[in-house]
Amino acid sequence: MNRSDLIAATDLCVKCGLCLPHCPTYVETRDENESPRGRISLIQGWATGALGAAPELTRHVDNCLLCRACEAACPAYVPYGGIVDRFRQEAGAAGKPLAARLKSGILRKVLTGPSLSRLAGSSLARRAAVAIKNLNGTKGLGRGFGIAELAAGLPETSVRPIKKGWTGFHPAENGRGIREVLLFQGCTAALLDSETMTSAIRLMNRLEIGVRVPEGQTCCGALHLHAGEGGAASERMARNLAAFESANSDVIASFASGCAAMLRDYGEAFPSAEAKQFSERIRDIGQFLAETPWPKDLKLRSLPATVCVHSPCSLKNVLRADRHAPALLRRIPDLKVVALPAQTHCCGAAGSYLLEHPQMAQKLRDDVLERILASKPDYLVTSNPGCAMHLRAGLKQRGREGIEVVHWVTLLARSLTE
Ligand code: SF4
Ligand code: SF4
């Protein structure tokens, strides 16, 4: 999107205000500048040259979670996410406080650097997870950089030994494979999602699906794009296009909905025929499993418990695929499945937002946790690693660590009979 495309995109907004009640930052502050309509007007003013990129202006855009609830509610189809990403690439970083830039920069380096992906499942990765968990982050550096918050959000499984290495082909069980799917691993699998990754492969293999995890894939680039680093995001896109290009399946599944949303948006963020074709192959794993016929003889073990299903904004507002997880979980005998109401706002995790805007992130999390706890769950499932981490830390803070936070794929895989 160039400057004139940006002006044209902001012109689509008819200022009706229908998006306002859907915007978490507007609902919390009641400030028009903290609303989608207000932010579009500010960006429009900047794009036309009527306003400069003053810190006050960029701060309001920086406060946006990019949850895209406004986009889902907008009758004029204003491409809000693309407008904000474009603005942040050109002007956004100037208004961001130095501490926030440092925190999100460190998070991007740690999570998306090649070293962590290469360490997936190794004893070194486990030792790093244990060290982070043991950090006393309640004061000084730990508190200032949100280390305590991050440490509290790590899953217990990140410190247990796991099967090493996922790259390659995992054949369907019983040699009855009728389909092959490509699996996007994401940069957080090593630290946050090892059990989800193993569960996704095991479940699909049992459903007679061969799973290929292509070598050379990398971080989707979402954290970079939303922080205004378009160049870094497009480098990652190029590596992913190359990694998945020659693989002979027309479906690329992702279990992390934030990654799936970014991969699905490659064609719009960086227009090219290759990026568009790649985007068309992306499926959230829930959508893929709901579209796939399950073997008639497949049995799942009973689980007499209550599970609360949280739908991340990326799943609900971008992929529009939030109906599948509850339906799939209802296959588990005796499991009571409670989905959070559709109008539940963003939990505040939003990539690196939880580190950069801790007060707003914790306020939003409190609202979501109230709704979750009202369902009296034994398990909380969500399909985005950032949301899982943020909500797990919030439950711990309230002394509710007995509620296990996992991906719903894991619950299904645990219910498979041997
Ligand atoms: S973004 Fe859409 S819903 Fe919001 S004010 Fe503009 S036209 Fe209306
Ligand atoms: S993306 Fe979310 S936080 Fe940002 S303006 Fe839209 S609804 Fe509000």
Side-chain angles (χ1 to χ4, degrees), residues 58 61-62 64 66 81-96 101 104-105 108 221-234 236 262 270 352 356:
T58 52
V61 182
D62 193 49
C64 170
L66 268 179
I83 290 172
V84 170
D85 284 336
R86 184 71 209 162
F87 173 79
R88 285 184 180 172
Q89 276 179 58
E90 293 210 13
K96 210 188 257 289
R101 264 187 274 169
S104 63
R108 282 196 297 285
L223 282 176
H224 303 86
L225 183 70
H226 303 327
E229 296 179 4
S234 105
R236 281 156 180 80
M262 175 67 188
F270 308 105
S352 53
E356 295 178 21

Side-chain angles (χ1 to χ4, degrees), residues 12-19 37 40 73-76 78:
L12 291 173
C13 175
V14 295
K15 313 287 189 279
C16 66
L18 288 174
C19 52
R37 181 173 62 185
I40 290 168
C74 176
V78 175

Side-chain angles (χ1 to χ4, degrees), residues 340 364-375 398:
L340 287 177
L364 295 173
R365 179 174 69 187
D366 284 345
D367 296 345
V368 175
L369 284 177
E370 289 302 323
R371 292 180 181 229
I372 290 168
L373 292 172
S375 68
R398 291 170 177 235

Side-chain angles (χ1 to χ4, degrees), residues 28 95 148 161 326 413:
E28 292 295 339

Side-chain angles (χ1 to χ4, degrees), residues 29-60:
T29 63
R30 297 289 159 183
D31 178 350
E32 175 73 16
N33 293 307
E34 294 290 322
S35 77
R37 181 173 62 185
R39 291 181 177 123
I40 290 168
S41 298
L42 292 172
I43 294 173
Q44 191 172 42
W46 170 82
T48 56
L51 297 172
E56 189 63 10
L57 187 155
T58 52
R59 186 172 58 78
H60 289 303

Side-chain angles (χ1 to χ4, degrees), residues 185-313:
Q185 170 175 334
C187 55
T188 58
L191 193 60
L192 304 179
D193 267 333
S194 58
E195 190 176 5
T196 311
M197 183 75 184
T198 307
S199 299
I201 294 171
R202 181 162 172 249
L203 179 63
M204 289 199 279
N205 285 168
R206 186 64 73 87
L207 299 183
E208 302 176 359
I209 301 163
V211 180
R212 187 175 298 282
V213 184
E215 202 170 343
Q217 57 175 300
T218 187
C219 159
C220 65
L223 282 176
H224 303 86
L225 183 70
H226 303 327
E229 296 179 4
S234 105
E235 272 169 34
R236 281 156 180 80
M237 179 191 74
R239 284 168 57 190
N240 283 324
L241 294 194
F244 285 89
E245 188 189 16
S246 56
N248 63 346
S249 168
D250 47 4
V251 175
I252 301 170
S254 168
F255 53 80
S257 57
C259 302
M262 175 67 188
L263 300 171
R264 225 271 324 264
D265 275 357
Y266 274 178
E268 295 208 357
F270 308 105
S272 73
E274 293 80 10
K276 205 162 172 298
Q277 277 167 11
F278 179 90
S279 294
E280 283 165 2
R281 297 162 74 198
I282 301 299
R283 297 281 182 289
D284 164 69
I285 194 168
Q287 184 189 358
F288 173 68
L289 292 180
E291 287 167 356
T292 302
W294 287 39
K296 290 202 171 43
D297 56 353
L298 184 93
K299 296 237 177 329
L300 295 176
R301 264 200 298 267
S302 147
L303 180 58
T306 300
V307 61
C308 178
V309 184
H310 168 260
S311 295
C313 301

Side-chain angles (χ1 to χ4, degrees), residues 22-25 35-36 39 64-70 80:
H22 300 270
C23 173
T25 55
S35 77
R39 291 181 177 123
C64 170
L65 296 138
L66 268 179
C67 67
R68 291 166 70 174
C70 50
Y80 180 84

